[in-house]
Amino acid sequence: MPSDTLTVIDNRTGKSYEIPITDSSIRAKDLRQIKTSEDEYGLLSYDPGFTNTASCRSKITFIDGDRGILNYRGYPIEELAEKSTYLETAYLILNGDLPNRTQLDEWVHNIKHHTLLHENIKKLIDGFRYDAHPMGMLLSIVGALSTFYPEAKNIFDTQPRREQIFRLIAKMPTIAAFCYRHSVGLPFAYPDNDLSYTGNFLNMLFKMTELKYRPHAVLERALEVLFILHADHEQNCSTNVMRSTGSSHPDPYAAIAAATAALYGPLHGGANEAVLRMLGQIGCKKNVPDFIQKVKRGEGRLMGFGHRIYKSYDPRARIIKQMADQVFGVMGRNPLLDIALELERIALEDDYFISRRLYPNVDFYSGLIYQSMKIPVDMFPVMFAIPRTCGWLTQWEEMLLDSEQKIARPRQIYVGPSRRSYISLEERS
Ligand code: CMC
């Protein structure tokens, strides 16, 4: 008997089925042959939240959640964070290999020459109220870009597809910075293509009246590292939305708007914002034990803790924690750090968190760094969306070119009323 199969005996009928196992998985469709009568649909797998369902075969990002390993295209995140730049890592993620010098120069040139926004976008931004949340603005504006590039609909033509990838990676920081400038009533600062990707982003955020903005090297590098850490994370909620939306074949601006919306929530990319608000509410170190008790009673979550895949320390959180000291060295120590460290110390000794294998995730310390860099709290999820754009686009392209993929359309188990007849309004009690 071959060992790479699963034998299933349906106790309703006594029938036995051989189901092939490939890459430690079975095809859900192979379950359909299991039925009690010919006119039945067949067995479904039920998996709310997709906790045990693979939706694709992917070559992009590898995570081992038990051992805290994260690799992009085989390269460990620790090495990329130490040695690479965000744009080089983005090239790696998109193309599968690190670029040589010519490829890198061409790639950086292509990104830098798409950083400007159509001037009409400024009118769109002006329409938002001064206190509009920047994530709401970002997802609206990136969706609106769809109307500026009608050729983006040609998603199966390599050239226009690549062109939109350049545009999206290039323009997300510009949109984000313009949203910030709108919220604080400052004139928009245009891109400076002499600067690096992150240096230019700092320029668009913080340039005042000086002729040339010069980013602080430590802050510029810190942002590079944070962007590298956020570039991709396999089939998370927003990436699943990107693939799912993309599977009906809209242009990538529409799909990125949908993915940005998915990232907005506090359980996903909005967690970094939620962490900062939580630390502010706790207020001081001595209130930490009470707060932990509340979490254990089910009165709220410890934001920035826990992960669907990581059941050990998130490797990204480890790198961010180390980097925080460098940023604090320049900008001064964030006073909320002491509360965060105390929360981590107590939580990691507490059986509630130990038994559920809840550890700090990427969002636990990133907000403290962003806050020290004078980036407002409601911009934090936007700081996640900018670098994740490269991951979303890579996953989208992989999905489009995968002949096994179809429009995403899960099944349901219907548990509502069975067929009944309409009752006129007068007859209803
Ligand atoms: N604080 C307190 N309890 C928690 C937490 C937390 N942060 N996370 C999970 N739990 C408990 C949860 O109540 C449940 O307990 P029980 O078994 O007694 O019901 C158990 O741990 C398992 O939780 P779950 O909700 O079934 O786990 P999940 O895999 O569905 O959720 C998560 C993963 C990230 C949504 C969740 O851990 C969470 O809400 N964390 C806080 C929000 C956060 O930091 N999100 C950022 C995630 S990392 C970056 C990203 O992906 O965007």
Side-chain angles (χ1 to χ4, degrees):
M1 190 168 114
S3 56
D4 49 356
T5 62
L6 179 74
T7 303
V8 177
I9 297 173
D10 184 348
N11 291 323
R12 298 170 303 174
T13 60
K15 277 195 198 160
S16 160
Y17 302 84
E18 284 288 295
I19 296 183
I21 299 175
T22 313
D23 294 330
S24 305
S25 58
I26 59 161
R27 286 187 176 259
K29 246 186 158 174
D30 285 342
L31 298 175
R32 271 190 66 186
Q33 59 184 307
I34 304 176
K35 43 175 105 170
T36 51
S37 66
E38 266 320 298
D39 55 355
E40 215 179 67
Y41 181 81
L43 214 62
L44 288 175
S45 61
Y46 175 57
D47 188 9
F50 309 126
T51 56
N52 197 38
T53 296
S55 64
C56 61
R57 301 168 71 83
S58 181
K59 294 181 176 162
I60 305 166
T61 292
F62 171 80
I63 302 177
D64 181 330
D66 285 329
R67 293 191 289 154
I69 294 173
L70 168 62
N71 300 339
Y72 297 154
R73 302 282 189 181
Y75 292 97
I77 193 67
E78 292 80 5
E79 281 189 42
L80 293 168
E82 190 190 332
K83 297 174 183 159
S84 188
T85 60
Y86 173 68
L87 281 186
E88 185 186 59
T89 298
Y91 181 101
L92 165 72
I93 290 175
L94 255 163
N95 297 288
D97 284 306
L98 285 167
N100 61 29
R101 169 57 61 196
T102 317
Q103 289 166 328
L104 182 63
D105 290 347
E106 196 187 330
W107 163 248
V108 172
H109 173 91
N110 281 328
I111 300 297
K112 284 194 173 175
H113 285 77
H114 284 97
T115 47
L116 280 174
L117 296 175
H118 191 290
E119 285 290 293
N120 284 6
I121 292 290
K122 290 183 358 192
K123 295 187 195 150
L124 198 61
I125 295 177
D126 274 343
F128 286 101
R129 294 183 59 160
Y130 72 95
D131 59 353
H133 195 287
M135 262 316 244
M137 295 168 79
L138 179 71
L139 70 92
S140 314
I141 293 161
V142 76
L145 282 185
S146 155
T147 65
F148 288 78
Y149 305 107
E151 73 276 18
K153 288 185 177 52
N154 302 325
I155 53 173
F156 289 106
D157 292 348
T158 313
Q159 192 46 41
R161 194 172 63 236
R162 276 280 138 161
E163 191 87 354
Q164 311 323 313
I165 290 176
F166 297 145
R167 285 191 173 127
L168 274 157
I169 294 176
K171 291 182 198 307
M172 285 293 265
T174 317
I175 304 172
F178 279 23
C179 293
Y180 164 70
R181 303 283 288 203
H182 171 76
S183 70
V184 288
L186 282 169
F188 300 126
Y190 279 73
D192 179 346
N193 292 345
D194 292 344
L195 298 174
S196 69
Y197 189 78
T198 52
N200 171 50
F201 181 53
L202 290 169
N203 157 67
M204 293 188 293
L205 286 177
F206 299 127
K207 184 169 190 279
M208 299 305 278
T209 53
E210 66 273 41
L211 285 179
K212 181 100 183 154
Y213 178 85
R214 308 231 175 255
H216 193 293
V218 171
L219 305 186
E220 186 181 6
R221 181 64 204 160
L223 214 48
E224 290 282 333
V225 174
L226 283 160
F227 279 11
I228 291 169
L229 300 181
H230 286 88
D232 191 52
H233 212 235
E234 53 120 302
Q235 307 312 312
N236 55 82
C237 174
S238 57
T239 300
N240 180 54
V241 167
M242 182 77 195
R243 280 179 173 261
S244 207
T245 308
S247 75
S248 75
H249 300 169
D251 67 59
Y253 301 97
I256 291 272
T260 308
L263 188 73
Y264 195 171
L267 297 189
H268 191 11
N272 51 14
E273 180 180 352
V275 168
L276 252 282
R277 298 200 192 284
M278 172 189 80
L279 295 175
Q281 276 159 15
I282 295 172
C284 64
K285 234 170 107 173
K286 74 170 177 26
N287 295 337
V288 168
D290 277 354
F291 180 80
I292 295 275
Q293 289 310 318
K294 274 193 197 157
V295 169
K296 288 168 63 175
R297 288 197 299 271
E299 298 165 24
R301 290 199 160 193
L302 176 50
M303 299 311 285
F305 256 68
H307 198 275
R308 172 65 60 78
I309 308 287
Y310 292 120
K311 298 301 167 198
S312 64
Y313 215 98
D314 181 336
R316 301 168 299 172
R318 205 185 296 282
I319 298 169
I320 291 177
K321 197 175 168 188
Q322 287 160 3
M323 215 184 52
D325 287 335
Q326 293 169 30
V327 174
F328 297 159
V330 176
M331 304 299 285
R333 201 164 189 275
N334 189 327
L336 295 176
L337 177 67
D338 290 332
I339 303 175
L341 289 171
E342 184 68 355
L343 273 172
E344 180 183 336
R345 189 187 67 76
I346 296 186
L348 293 185
E349 286 173 357
D350 190 300
D351 192 51
Y352 175 96
F353 296 90
I354 296 170
S355 62
R356 290 169 179 78
R357 302 177 75 187
L358 302 171
Y359 293 87
N361 60 49
V362 69
D363 291 313
F364 194 64
Y365 288 105
S366 60
L368 289 171
I369 300 183
Y370 289 139
Q371 194 181 46
S372 294
M373 292 170 86
K374 309 275 180 253
I375 294 169
V377 176
D378 57 7
M379 278 289 286
F380 295 178
V382 171
M383 302 299 292
F384 195 150
I386 296 170
R388 183 54 59 85
T389 300
C390 133
W392 287 331
L393 289 165
T394 310
Q395 300 271 353
W396 166 75
E397 191 171 53
E398 189 179 66
M399 180 272 305
L400 288 179
L401 302 180
D402 179 348
S403 59
E404 282 198 316
Q405 289 296 331
K406 287 173 176 292
I407 186 166
R409 205 309 183 183
R411 306 285 310 190
Q412 65 165 9
I413 297 169
Y414 178 69
V415 292
S418 52
R419 189 195 154 103
R420 48 184 172 166
S421 292
Y422 182 81
I423 305 166
S424 68
L425 186 57
E426 295 70 36
E427 285 176 81
R428 280 175 236 159
S429 54

